[in-house]
Amino acid sequence: MAESYRNHIGGRWVDARAGGRQQSLDPATGEVVAEVARSEPADVADAVAAAKAAFEHWRRHPAPKRGEILYRAAEAMARRKEDLARLMTREMGKVIAEARGDVQEGIDLTYFMAGEGRRLAGQTVPAESPDKFAMSVREPVGVVAAITPWNFPMAIPTWKLMPALVGGNTVVFKPASDTPALACELVRILEEAGLPPGVLNLVTGPGATVGDALVQHPDVTLVSFTGSTEAGRAVAVKCADGLKRVSLELGGKNAITVMDDADLDLAVEGILWSAYGTSGQRCTACSRVIVQRGVEQALSARLSARINALRVGNGLDPATDVGPVINRRALEKIDEYVQIGRAEGAELLTGGAPAAVEGLAAGNFYAPTLFGGVRATMRIAQEEIFGPVLSMIAVDDLDEAVRVNNGTAYGLSSAIYTRDVNRAFRAMRELSTGIVYINAGTIGAEIQLPFGGTRGTGNGHREAGTAALDVYTEWKACYVDFSGRLQRAQIDR
Ligand code: UN1
């Protein structure tokens, strides 16, 4: 049975004005999972107007009380975790254990931001003049547009919505067209937790029209976008005109370095998990292994054997290791990159074609793929593939590994396996990504630390942790002079 949802504007569930509908499909079976509104710019205008009107009240609602609503939402998410996870696997394809993890990440973030309702810390500092008080406070920025991708249908929306809401902003939420059902469920949960009408609005529909209208709307003050680098750049350009605040989380080309002193068994586990978990469709996914030559043969033999044993199938089957990729287009793009890799002269060690899964002829499955003999400059080692394709690059030493790791247009996550503490600390300093792991793979960031990357991965902002509050609030510096006379800063000394 397909679920049916509508937009949520000004506290009411409403159809798109023009009545449009669109479907989201199960990438494993091709079945329709949900039907949602196919909105147009007029619906975006309604949603932004509702958010703008609600802002005046919401920004004055005490932050601890805003946090309490989030706390109740987290409780509801925890109660409904299993239902949400199953819906996620059906709509997005990731295996059920990972879908539970995605919901859990949303729960963790929501509890964390609920707590921020009683902190939202500013600074108090001494003033240079006598009888004067100096402090800074966080102020909401206004109407936030949250535009989210399909690969983490619960976690990433919470990264944006929760800090925005606890900070006193109102929101228009535009989820990816491949995963609208989860977004509708999240909005329902927040509404039931007690968010006043208009504080959180939802419009579903195509990025090219709905997303674009939202980004261009003059009453939107801040755009928070996660998606491809190409789309993110276009968002930034559009925001520049209106001097909008913009926070971007874009691509990655993450690498795991394996030094010759590493625990190889541990490294194999970390590589498999980071490269083929979520079918390689994480921004943090490992798509390059940088291996010191002494262990290249041993590592590639162990990896190939383990990859061949991975079970590809429907994520609802607990025996499945690797689920489908999101849609047909993604499958084709992944296959194109594999052909590019072959043409570039990389050695295909295993995989390299769509996978047939019995009884699931309409599914978008790709065989977990490993290339050996890859050079750091090849396109398969430079461009984001966003699928289960891994490239092995051999290097002589740590310096070369660092150069290769840092030598792409992206800088999200990197990892190194070594038992040498000196190498570990040198790597931590030299790997120029926003996230660095020692003796663990590139995925699995926790929500209490900043998430984001250097170079083309974004524009310098971070999600999650208290760092997210710097995106969703603006500083106001306040001075209180209780001397009863004119005191001239920098002059009366
Ligand atoms: C993403 O792929 O955009 O660190 C998010 C991780 C997860 C979040 C990934 N906690 O892999």
Side-chain angles (χ1 to χ4, degrees):
M1 241 311 264
E3 314 280 338
S4 175
Y5 301 95
R6 302 196 280 176
N7 283 337
H8 190 69
I9 297 178
R12 296 188 317 123
W13 293 92
V14 293
D15 289 319
R17 274 178 184 263
R21 303 287 287 163
Q22 66 183 46
Q23 299 177 328
S24 75
L25 306 180
D26 183 331
T29 63
E31 285 163 14
V32 177
V33 175
E35 233 194 62
V36 301
R38 183 182 174 88
S39 311
E40 293 182 20
D43 305 299
V44 171
D46 290 346
V48 174
K52 190 180 177 193
F55 179 63
E56 282 312 308
H57 172 75
W58 183 244
R59 73 182 175 88
R60 295 191 186 93
H61 197 64
K65 296 222 166 79
R66 301 196 292 249
E68 282 168 24
I69 297 173
L70 266 49
Y71 185 86
R72 285 197 293 276
E75 297 275 271
M77 287 162 75
R79 263 195 316 274
R80 296 194 44 205
K81 179 173 169 181
E82 191 59 24
D83 288 352
L84 294 167
R86 294 188 80 78
L87 181 60
M88 185 184 303
T89 295
R90 286 172 55 218
E91 192 174 48
M92 183 275 168
K94 66 174 70 178
V95 299
I96 185 71
E98 289 191 45
R100 290 185 191 116
D102 187 328
V103 177
Q104 187 59 48
E105 188 163 350
I107 295 168
D108 296 344
L109 191 286
T110 306
Y111 277 128
F112 182 91
M113 288 299 165
E116 281 307 314
R118 287 194 182 263
R119 280 185 293 267
L120 277 183
Q123 295 181 307
T124 56
V125 293
E128 67 176 40
S129 317
D131 298 332
K132 191 177 172 191
F133 192 87
M135 63 189 158
S136 63
V137 293
R138 291 182 184 275
E139 293 277 317
V141 294
V143 175
V144 171
I147 304 178
T148 59
W150 47 264
N151 68 332
F152 272 79
M154 199 49 111
I156 292 180
T158 63
W159 290 1
K160 300 187 190 305
L161 268 43
M162 304 309 171
L165 293 170
V166 83
N169 305 281
T170 55
V171 178
V172 179
F173 175 22
K174 205 308 265 175
S177 291
D178 283 306
T179 54
L182 265 298
C184 295
E185 293 294 339
L186 180 59
V187 170
R188 196 174 270 171
I189 284 169
L190 279 157
E191 183 199 28
E192 286 170 10
L195 269 191
V199 171
L200 172 61
N201 306 276
L202 169 81
V203 282
T204 52
T209 48
V210 175
D212 192 60
L214 193 51
V215 167
Q216 309 248 27
H217 198 295
D219 289 333
V220 167
T221 336
L222 161 66
V223 177
S224 177
F225 172 87
T226 299
S228 73
T229 298
E230 193 190 352
R233 190 174 289 117
V235 167
V237 167
K238 283 169 191 154
C239 288
D241 245 358
L243 290 181
K244 287 185 182 152
R245 283 85 183 109
V246 58
S247 168
L248 303 171
E249 254 336 302
L250 310 173
K253 191 68 191 175
N254 315 294
I256 294 179
T257 292
V258 181
M259 302 306 293
D260 56 10
D261 65 279
D263 176 339
L264 274 197
D265 290 329
L266 187 67
V268 166
E269 297 300 333
I271 294 166
L272 284 173
W273 174 229
S274 303
Y276 304 110
T278 331
S279 307
Q281 302 170 108
R282 295 193 189 211
C283 308
T284 50
C286 169
S287 65
R288 300 179 296 157
V289 169
I290 301 168
V291 58
Q292 202 169 3
R293 279 185 215 284
V295 289
E296 185 189 4
Q297 286 313 318
L299 183 66
S300 90
R302 285 194 216 188
L303 268 179
S304 299
R306 289 291 300 279
I307 293 167
N308 288 331
L310 291 173
R311 283 157 305 200
V312 179
N314 189 330
L316 284 178
D317 178 351
T320 297
D321 298 306
V322 180
V325 299
I326 189 69
N327 55 36
R328 196 49 56 157
R329 237 176 20 263
L331 193 77
E332 284 162 7
K333 178 182 161 197
I334 293 162
D335 200 48
E336 273 165 33
Y337 269 110
V338 168
Q339 304 319 324
I340 289 169
R342 299 174 98 147
E344 285 179 307
E347 187 190 351
L348 183 62
L349 297 175
T350 184
V357 175
E358 214 187 299
L360 295 173
N364 307 313
F365 298 100
Y366 204 87
T369 298
L370 178 65
F371 276 114
V374 176
R375 283 190 310 279
T377 50
M378 288 180 180
R379 284 185 64 193
I380 53 166
Q382 287 289 326
E383 298 173 22
E384 188 175 48
I385 301 174
F386 225 63
V389 179
L390 181 62
S391 293
M392 279 186 77
I393 304 165
V395 295
D396 289 329
D397 54 22
L398 181 57
D399 286 342
E400 190 182 356
V402 165
R403 274 199 307 278
V404 170
N405 182 87
N406 296 350
T408 76
Y410 301 107
L412 182 53
S413 181
S414 42
I416 182 167
Y417 283 84
T418 177
R419 283 187 276 212
D420 179 335
V421 69
N422 295 351
R423 281 175 160 176
F425 272 87
R426 276 180 55 212
M428 240 188 309
R429 186 183 60 201
E430 301 301 333
L431 296 173
S432 64
T433 50
I435 306 171
V436 173
Y437 291 93
I438 308 295
N439 291 327
T442 53
I443 68 175
E446 300 182 24
I447 60 87
Q448 57 277 25
L449 283 180
F451 181 98
T454 58
R455 296 188 286 280
T457 289
N459 63 342
H461 294 291
R462 292 292 183 268
E463 306 213 75
T466 48
L469 299 172
D470 292 333
V471 171
Y472 297 97
T473 60
E474 286 199 298
W475 288 116
K476 183 183 275 179
C478 301
Y479 301 92
V480 183
D481 191 320
F482 55 100
S483 69
R485 60 200 157 83
L486 174 68
Q487 303 199 85
R488 298 177 304 172
Q490 293 93 31
I491 293 168
D492 299 336
R493 297 177 58 84

